Amino acid sequence: MKLWAIALCLLAACGSAHAATPVWQPTAGNTQIPIWPGAAPDAQQVPGPETAKVSDELLAGKPVTAVTNVTSPTMTVYAPKGKNTGAAVVVFPGGGFQILAMDLEGTEICDWLTSRGITCVVLKYRVPSVPYVWKCDCRPHNYQLSVPSLQDAQRTMRLVRHHAAEWHIDPHKVGVIGFSAGGYLVAEISTNFNRRLYAPVDAADKESARPDFAMPIYPGHLAVDNDSKLNPNVPVSRETPPTFLVQAEDDNVDGVQQSLVYFTALKKAGVPTEMHLYAHGGHAFGLRPTSNPITLWPALAETWMSTIGMIPAANQRVGGH
C-alpha cells in the first residue's frame, strides 16, 4: 500500500499547509476527554510536538486538517441532534498511521451521524505509529498489528460503555467506523476485541471492547500475498460484528482487493456482511459530495444500520447528507 500522503498530498506530509496550531481542538462547546488517566501504555517516541495543519489545497471544495505527533490520545463526544436513537459510533480517522484527517474522516462523520440521532465519538489516537515508522519514513511491516492505536480503540470502546447511562447510550448499540488506516483499525478491533493489550487501569476496563457493528470504509492493510489472502493479524471469526464495507474500484491507494478479501473471510465465518463497490471514487472521499454515485454511500449505511436493529427505520434520509 502506498503512503496515504501520496493520495492526499495536500496534507501535512507534503507541507502545503497555511495554518498550524499546537494541538487539535474541536469546535466550541465540545471537549476532548483524555482516554488514559495517566500516560498512555507503551509510550513511543514521536518526531515532535502535536500539530494540526490545514491544507492550502481543497478536496471537494474544502481544506483538510491533518493532525500528527499525537502522544496523548483523546475522545470527543458529540451528542445526537433531535430524537436520540440510543446508538453510538466511535470514529477512527484515517491517515496511514502517520497523520489523522480529523475533519474529512472525523468531525464531518459526526455531523452526519448526530443528525441521525446517533451519538458520535471521534478518537484522536496515537500517530505516528506502526505499521508506519517515522524514523525511516517507511512501512517495513505493513500488515502488523497497530498496537498503540488498537490500545486506544479498545480503551475508548470500554469508556463509551462505562459512560453509557450518563451519555444516554444503549451499551448494546455501540459501533465503529473508520477510513483507510482507520478502516484497518475497525477490522483490528472487530477481530481482536478480546485480546488484552494493556493492563486494566480502572473500572471502565471491565467493559467489553467488542463493537456491536462495524463500518470499514476504503480500508487498507487487509490483503496480503499478492492480494489473495487475509492479513492474519485480523483473525475473523463468527464473533466478528456485522460489517458494512465501501470501496471504489479505482482506489489506487488501498485497492478494492482489500475489501474483497475481508468480505470473503467474513462470509466464510458466517458474519452478516454488506459490501458496496463503485466504479469511481478513488481514495479518501469521506462524506464530501461529488458527482460520483459513491457519494450516496451514507444513505446505504443508514439503511443497513436499521436492518440490523441499531437505529429505527424512521432515521433514514434519502441521499445520506
Side-chain angles (χ1 to χ4, degrees):
M1 186 184 74
K2 297 178 182 178
L3 294 181
W4 193 82
I6 294 176
L8 280 179
C9 66
L10 61 161
L11 295 178
C14 291
S16 60
H18 62 70
T21 57
V23 178
W24 175 81
Q25 295 293 341
T27 55
N30 299 291
T31 303
Q32 294 189 76
I33 304 170
I35 65 172
W36 303 102
D42 305 317
Q44 303 291 318
Q45 184 183 6
V46 298
E50 180 178 327
T51 58
K53 296 182 180 179
V54 181
S55 66
D56 285 325
E57 297 182 50
L58 304 180
L59 179 65
K62 297 180 182 179
V64 177
T65 300
V67 177
T68 193
N69 298 333
V70 177
T71 56
S72 299
T74 67
M75 61 180 182
T76 304
V77 181
Y78 295 83
K81 301 169 184 175
K83 186 175 181 180
N84 183 3
T85 64
V89 174
V90 179
V91 181
F92 305 144
F97 298 106
Q98 182 177 356
I99 61 96
L100 301 175
M102 287 299 292
D103 47 8
L104 174 68
E105 297 168 346
T107 57
E108 291 174 18
I109 311 307
C110 283
D111 290 341
W112 160 51
L113 292 169
T114 56
S115 73
R116 303 319 191 245
I118 300 169
T119 299
C120 186
V121 181
V122 173
L123 174 60
K124 186 176 74 173
Y125 56 90
R126 281 173 281 172
V127 289
S129 69
V130 292
Y132 174 72
V133 179
W134 65 267
K135 290 183 178 180
C136 62
D137 192 18
C138 64
R139 303 173 192 276
H141 304 291
N142 203 30
Y143 304 105
Q144 70 187 98
L145 210 63
S146 58
V147 173
S149 306
L150 185 53
Q151 289 172 330
D152 295 344
Q154 288 184 344
R155 173 69 176 168
T156 301
M157 289 295 293
R158 293 175 174 131
L159 284 168
V160 170
R161 288 199 169 100
H162 186 67
H163 291 282
E166 176 188 351
W167 296 344
H168 308 290
I169 292 168
D170 183 336
H172 304 293
K173 294 183 177 181
V174 182
V176 290
I177 188 171
F179 302 79
S180 192
Y184 178 48
L185 190 51
V186 166
E188 287 181 297
I189 198 169
S190 294
T191 56
N192 291 277
F193 49 85
N194 280 331
R195 184 170 179 176
R196 181 61 69 176
L197 294 176
Y198 63 90
V201 296
D202 55 28
D205 286 320
K206 296 178 181 179
E207 302 286 351
S208 171
R210 178 186 180 273
D212 294 303
F213 57 101
M215 295 181 279
I217 313 299
Y218 44 88
H221 305 270
L222 295 176
V224 299
D225 293 340
N226 295 320
D227 294 339
S228 63
K229 295 182 180 179
L230 179 68
N231 182 346
N233 287 315
V234 286
V236 171
S237 72
R238 66 179 62 188
E239 278 74 46
T240 301
T243 300
F244 177 91
L245 287 153
V246 176
Q247 199 142 15
E249 293 184 44
D250 63 354
D251 185 336
N252 294 319
V253 177
D254 291 316
V256 69
Q257 197 69 14
Q258 305 291 329
S259 287
L260 291 171
V261 166
Y262 195 50
F263 174 83
T264 300
L266 291 165
K267 294 307 295 180
K268 185 176 180 179
V271 177
T273 307
E274 183 170 314
M275 178 171 63
H276 296 274
L277 303 179
Y278 292 83
H280 303 291
H283 190 72
F285 45 81
L287 287 177
R288 295 183 180 180
T290 69
S291 59
N292 292 316
I294 202 168
T295 290
L296 303 179
W297 73 262
L300 300 175
E302 292 171 32
T303 300
W304 175 77
M305 284 188 281
S306 174
T307 62
I308 63 171
M310 294 297 113
I311 63 173
N315 282 73
Q316 302 171 43
R317 298 184 190 178
V318 176
H321 292 287

